Each structure stands twice: as C-alpha cells, then as structure tokens.
Amino acid sequence: MTLPASLLLVLHVTRPCFTKHSFETFCHLVAGMVAQTGRRTVTGMVAQTGRRTVTGMLTGAGLSRLWPHRRAHAFFSEASWDPDRLGLRLAHAVVEALLPADAPIAVVVDDTLLHRAGKKIFGVLWAHDGSGRGKDKLGFGNTWVICAIVVRLPFLTRPIALPVAARLWRGKGTASRTDLALQMVHDLAALFPDRTVHVTGDAAYHSIKVADLPGTVTFTTRLPRNAALFEPTPPRTNKRGRPRKKGAALGSLIAIAEAATWRLSVVERYGRTEFVWITELECLWYGAFKDLPVRLVLVHDLDSTNPYDLVLVSTDHISTADDLVERYGTRWPIESTFEHMRGHLGVGQARNRTRRAVERTVTFGLAVTPSSCSGTPLTATTPPTSPTDGHGSPGTPRRRPRRSATWSPSSAGRSS
C-alpha cells in the first residue's frame, strides 16, 4: 500500500517511540485502520471493509496474505513501546503545528464507554453509558478517560478536539475518573512548562486534587445544582483558635441568581454567536475544592424563563467571564471526536483480552485520530498560515463586538 506523503509526515513524528521493526508495523496498521470502512480488528487493520479488529487492520493494509497475523497481534501485546510516550509526542506535534506560538492550550477531559462482550476481557465492567437505553443508561465494556487538545483549523468553521492521552478506568476502589484526568493534565503541563493550559470538564470532573495543579493550569467545570458555596476565606483576626477557612454560606444558586446584577454580553459557543446575560462572583466550593478560591459564572439565555441556564466554576481568575463561557462551549467537540473514533475509525472494535493488548489498541486508535482528523502535517515547527484580514489570527472567525448592559431576574421577570 502506498501511503500519502502527508500521512507519512504525521507518522514520522512518532518514530522515536518505536524500534525499526515496530515502527514499520505501526505505519501499516495505521494505514489499514484508516483505509477500511468496516470493523477495525487487528487482522483487519492490515484496507478492508469489514471489522476494525487487529485482523481487519491487516486486511485493510493489504497484508493479510503477506504478514503472519501474529505480527500484528504481537505489536499490541508484546512489542516494546509506551502509549503514554506516543500520546505526548503527538501532543507536542499538535501544539507546535496547529497553535500560534505562546498561545494558551485548550484541553478537554471526558470519558466514554467502549462496548465489549466477554467476562475475561481486561478491565470490563458495567458503567454509565450516555448513549445507553433505559433510565439507568448502563453499558458493559471499558470506560476510557480521554484528554484532548482543542484546535481551530483554517478549513473548518468549528473547533475540533484531537485526543492525545487516555486512561482506562477500573471501577470503584481504584483511581477515579477525575484523578486519571488530572494525571494526564500533569503530563501535559510538564511537557509545556512555559504555556498556559486551560482545562475544561463536565460536572463529573472535580476534586480537591485540582489545587495541586501547576500554576500555569486552570480548571473550569460545570457546577452541580446542589453545590454548597461560601464566601471567600475571611482575613485572620489574630485571635486564639484555628482561623476560619470559609466565609458565610451564599445560599442556593437560585438565591444567588436573584440577588445578582446581570449584564448583557455576546458569546460564541456551539458554532453560534449569541446574546446572553452573565453574572459572576468570587467564592469557595468547599465541598469539592476546599479553600481554593474559584470564580462562579452564571449564564441566563435570552429566551429562557429559568433563574439561570448554566453555572460554571473556574480557577481562572484572569480571563473574563465571557471567555470562560466560550471556553466551556469548546468542550462539545470531544463528543464529536468520540463519535468519529467509534463510528469511522472503529476504536474499541479490536477483539483482544489481555491487559497490554486492551490498553494499547485503544490508545493506538486515539493516536490515529489526530492523524486522520487534522488533515495537516504535524511536523511543522511553526503554525500553518492562511490569508488574514487583520482581524485576529489566521483561521479565527471575526468576533462581534462586546455589548454590555445590566439586568436582574426580578426586573425582567426572568425573561428577555
């Protein structure tokens, strides 16, 4: 099989992660996984139209009759290569090629369930499945926590999320999904010590360990409705006894929304430009972050009758509230990435059972995703350029001017 030059350039980035023999196998399996349209089994990865199993990858690459199938299976279960190192190499290439110099790195963390059948498969369990049927929404398989970098490409109108790291969640009694996500964030922060990293997650991602993140990392998540908020830590009184760690309780989110002063603003999220009401305040989410100071941002849609429609909490004290709302909106592309990697690339379809093979086939599929999604060679040391009209960086949509006003739910009847 003849590989496109652009794909070869992307694969060359990963060369230091493999031996000569393993790199040759890696390149052909990538080609087989991308070329075929059926299930990506290990054998099928070698340009078939069937399953994306390991056997299917071989068929896809046209090597099913030239290579012993054991060579493909051994690449995942026995070969000497580190999935984490592979992901960090791709992360470095993505940032260098697709982000302007010194620009903040937008990172999204989320988890997805890859369905498997069989009790002897490593790491399988019943877990939440957002696409599952029934009120319980449970599914059987491997739950993967994914860390992706959000980028904008000149030829796309919306941002995309390129997965660069993954961890297998083993269930209760082991490291939580938030802990696994923070481990990957620590690795990215160490890889880019001079860059600001903005991490975004949904309401399930919060932990006191967020306070241990480096100073260059911010964390933004959606606040649960039952969260108990407090005023910031009061100053020391120099009296006897332990100083207070939290201020007075702020009450429910509805009470906070009713007492707040709102302003009208323009934000870009989910591919649309919208007018929304925004208010913010400094507080403590003591139940999750202890005495770590955070910012609370409430959003009210113009056509909504609710006291609020979105509540965010962030450790970012520098960016504007409008930026935080837009940043949370960039979390959605990871859902599109999950659909792409399952439906088009067949990640998770490989039929293997051992720990090494299970963990490596999924991270291998994630490594293929940036290569197939970006359409841009990841070997550049400077970001790609495109014509610009002087309004922002190349490939960035023109932003509408901010508008601001004041509003309160009581004066507007919670409707606009």
Side-chain angles (χ1 to χ4, degrees):
M1 172 180 288
T2 302
L3 299 181
S6 58
L7 180 58
L8 287 174
L9 289 174
V10 176
L11 296 179
H12 182 72
V13 174
T14 66
R15 178 62 183 88
C17 301
F18 304 98
T19 63
K20 180 180 179 180
H21 180 78
S22 295
F23 181 66
E24 180 184 2
T25 305
F26 171 75
C27 292
H28 284 87
L29 291 180
V30 168
M33 191 171 192
V34 174
Q36 70 158 351
T37 58
R39 289 192 175 271
R40 273 75 170 183
T41 61
V42 174
T43 312
M45 292 184 199
V46 178
Q48 74 150 359
T49 58
R51 292 181 174 271
R52 274 80 164 184
T53 59
V54 177
T55 307
M57 297 180 200
L58 286 175
T59 306
L63 297 174
S64 59
R65 297 185 178 182
L66 299 178
W67 282 7
H69 289 187
R70 187 185 182 284
R71 176 174 178 177
H73 286 280
F75 173 78
F76 295 104
S77 61
E78 301 175 11
S80 177
W81 59 280
D82 184 1
D84 292 339
R85 185 185 178 193
L86 175 62
L88 291 177
R89 288 286 301 182
L90 287 173
H92 188 272
V94 166
V95 171
E96 278 198 342
L98 303 180
L99 291 180
D102 301 327
I105 303 174
V107 174
V108 181
V109 293
D110 203 354
D111 56 86
T112 185
L113 179 72
L114 300 180
H115 294 274
R116 299 296 303 270
K119 296 181 179 180
K120 294 185 178 181
I121 300 173
F122 176 78
V124 293
L125 47 80
W126 287 97
H128 173 75
D129 180 12
S131 61
R133 298 180 179 179
K135 63 178 183 179
D136 294 332
K137 288 188 174 296
L138 292 177
F140 186 76
N142 296 124
T143 298
W144 289 89
V145 181
I146 311 295
C147 180
I149 296 177
V150 180
V151 298
R152 288 186 177 273
L153 300 178
F155 48 85
L156 296 178
T157 58
R158 297 187 180 185
I160 62 173
L162 302 180
V164 294
R167 294 285 191 280
L168 178 64
W169 182 57
R170 302 286 304 282
K172 295 182 178 180
T174 64
S176 68
R177 281 170 280 198
T178 303
D179 292 340
L180 296 176
L182 293 179
Q183 291 174 13
M184 295 183 284
V185 171
H186 275 286
D187 292 340
L188 286 178
L191 184 64
F192 306 103
D194 300 327
R195 282 183 179 256
T196 300
V197 180
H198 295 309
V199 183
T200 306
D202 62 17
Y205 287 87
H206 55 265
S207 168
I208 184 56
K209 295 182 180 179
V210 170
D212 299 328
L213 290 174
T216 57
V217 179
T218 69
F219 196 89
T220 303
T221 184
R222 184 165 56 86
L223 189 72
R225 293 185 177 183
N226 60 349
L229 301 177
F230 299 86
E231 293 180 355
T233 304
R236 298 176 66 96
T237 61
N238 294 326
K239 295 181 179 180
R240 296 180 62 182
R242 191 186 70 173
R244 295 184 61 182
K245 291 190 174 182
K246 57 184 178 181
L250 293 176
S252 66
L253 291 176
I254 295 179
I256 294 175
E258 291 177 344
T261 300
W262 299 73
R263 61 180 177 83
L264 185 63
S265 185
V266 181
V267 297
E268 295 176 4
R269 55 177 183 167
Y270 312 121
R272 302 187 302 270
T273 301
E274 302 175 329
F275 284 92
V276 295
W277 295 100
I278 293 179
T279 188
E280 61 177 308
L281 74 155
E282 299 285 335
C283 65
L284 298 179
W285 186 13
Y286 197 80
F289 294 159
K290 298 302 179 183
D291 55 349
L292 177 67
V294 295
R295 292 173 64 191
L296 179 72
V297 179
L298 286 84
V299 181
H300 181 280
D301 296 335
L302 288 182
D303 57 351
S304 174
T305 59
N306 300 319
Y308 59 86
D309 296 286
L310 175 67
V311 185
L312 303 177
V313 62
S314 177
T315 62
D316 186 352
H317 297 273
I318 299 177
S319 302
T320 66
D322 302 34
D323 290 335
L324 295 180
V325 174
E326 292 181 349
R327 186 182 305 165
Y328 185 78
T330 61
R331 192 194 69 83
W332 184 252
I334 197 171
E335 303 293 347
S336 301
T337 298
F338 289 160
E339 180 182 2
H340 173 76
M341 72 182 197
R342 285 194 298 257
H344 297 87
L345 294 179
V347 175
Q349 294 180 6
R351 297 297 185 256
N352 42 32
R353 297 183 298 176
T354 64
R355 176 170 185 168
R356 253 188 159 185
V358 168
E359 293 180 339
R360 286 180 167 189
T361 48
V362 172
T363 52
F364 168 86
L366 295 177
V368 175
T369 305
S371 306
S372 61
C373 287
S374 67
T376 304
L378 299 183
T379 55
T381 56
T382 57
T385 59
S386 64
T388 177
D389 58 359
H391 297 275
S393 58
T396 303
R398 296 181 60 177
R399 297 172 62 90
R400 295 181 61 177
R402 305 282 189 191
R403 292 183 56 184
S404 106
T406 58
W407 172 83
S408 65
S410 58
S411 63
R414 296 191 182 91
S415 62
S416 303

